Amino acid sequence: AQKVTQAQTEISVVEKEDVTLDCVYETRDTTYYLFWYKQPPSGELVFLIRRNSFDEQNEISGRYSWNFQKSTSSFNFTITASQVVDSAVYFCALSHISSGSARQLTFGSGTQLTVLP
Amino acid sequence: KAGVTQTPRYLIKTRGQQVTLSCSPISGHRSVSWYQQTPGQGLQFLFEYFSETQRNKGNFPGRFSGRQFSNSRSEMNVSTLELGDSALYLCASSLEQAARTGEQFFGPGTRLTVL
């Protein structure tokens, strides 16, 4: 069975601090995709990144960076120099390739990030 | 390009009633997936439609059903509503190749409250 664990329920930081959101996953699929989504108070899930299981290179996009380590089944997300606008719930998700469609995602429980001014 | 639209945005129903939610995907997207989000269970996959056919279904009772029209718009229906059906229902659309990559674009959701 697939599982995504986001152990941090809530994180609070002061603006300009760096913050790392943890994600650990379980899957029997050899090919899979991992995602991070941001959910602001409006409710819409905003796509941040997709990473496939064969690409372990870390990625940086502006203040965002992602660390994928297959050996520890982790896909962590770091926000550098956090800003108040980063306040949201962040979800890590895993595609369900074995179901026949990668569109079926298994989500973690989310991490509520609050950035204080 | 317009994003995914969902109507209505908010809905209040009473137990035993049925409800229909609508989702219009991004132009050119032929796949629509539905997710339920509750505080207790989190985000859970309901079903996926592509070219008017259900491709996948999550672990939900038969009271939850859906369909997709020839213009790719999708509706989901919940019959005999229960209090536990109160949730944010999110729709996501994607291109055909997302069947391999999983990349989807989500709408703002419909918040259903069952009294």
Side-chain angles (χ1 to χ4, degrees):
Chain A
Q2 305 220 133
K3 188 177 180 182
V4 176
T5 301
Q6 294 180 256
Q8 305 150 309
T9 306
E10 295 182 26
I11 298 177
S12 188
V13 299
V14 176
E15 204 169 20
K16 296 184 184 175
E17 286 185 357
D18 297 347
V19 59
T20 295
L21 309 182
D22 298 333
C23 172
V24 175
Y25 64 92
E26 296 175 30
T27 181
R28 293 181 182 173
D29 291 339
T30 53
T31 301
Y32 51 89
Y33 290 85
L34 292 160
F35 302 81
W36 276 95
Y37 282 90
K38 173 182 179 180
Q39 187 176 44
S42 60
E44 183 174 344
L45 285 172
V46 177
F47 169 82
L48 296 177
I49 190 172
R50 179 187 75 241
R51 170 68 72 223
N52 75 54
S53 52
F54 297 108
D55 182 2
E56 290 195 65
Q57 281 191 344
N58 292 333
E59 181 158 340
I60 298 175
S61 176
R63 296 184 297 107
Y64 295 169
S65 62
W66 290 269
N67 182 283
F68 175 33
Q69 291 196 345
K70 215 167 175 179
S71 60
T72 57
S73 297
S74 65
F75 186 42
N76 297 336
F77 172 31
T78 297
I79 302 175
T80 303
S82 60
Q83 300 176 1
V84 173
V85 293
D86 295 328
S87 297
V89 181
Y90 290 86
F91 290 94
C92 180
L94 172 66
S95 62
H96 206 269
I97 299 283
S98 58
S99 72
S101 172
R103 295 186 187 93
Q104 181 172 346
L105 301 180
T106 297
F107 283 87
S109 55
T111 297
Q112 170 72 61
L113 173 65
T114 302
V115 182
L116 303 169
Chain B
K1 220 179 205 181
V4 178
T5 58
Q6 292 187 245
T7 56
R9 291 293 311 278
Y10 301 91
L11 205 49
I12 299 176
K13 291 286 188 179
T14 56
R15 276 183 301 174
Q17 287 187 309
Q18 74 165 19
V19 68
T20 299
L21 312 182
S22 179
C23 171
S24 292
I26 293 171
S27 178
H29 287 195
R30 295 165 61 194
S31 169
V32 172
S33 298
W34 289 88
Y35 289 82
Q36 181 198 62
Q37 185 176 21
T38 61
Q41 299 299 317
L43 275 156
Q44 293 184 288
F45 173 79
L46 277 158
F47 27 63
E48 173 198 348
Y49 285 87
F50 180 80
S51 290
E52 303 177 64
T53 302
Q54 187 180 90
R55 277 194 167 176
N56 266 312
K57 190 177 193 319
N59 190 25
F60 278 82
R63 299 185 298 107
F64 291 82
S65 63
R67 59 176 175 169
Q68 187 179 33
F69 302 95
S70 58
N71 63 357
S72 296
R73 189 178 70 85
S74 176
E75 290 181 346
M76 68 162 282
N77 184 277
V78 187
S79 62
T80 319
L81 284 166
E82 301 177 359
L83 296 179
D85 297 332
S86 294
L88 180 66
Y89 289 88
L90 291 163
C91 164
S93 81
S94 60
L95 294 167
E96 164 59 14
Q97 48 262 45
R100 290 179 284 105
T101 65
E103 185 169 359
Q104 303 166 74
F105 299 87
F106 284 81
T110 293
R111 186 164 295 281
L112 171 66
T113 302
V114 182
L115 302 176

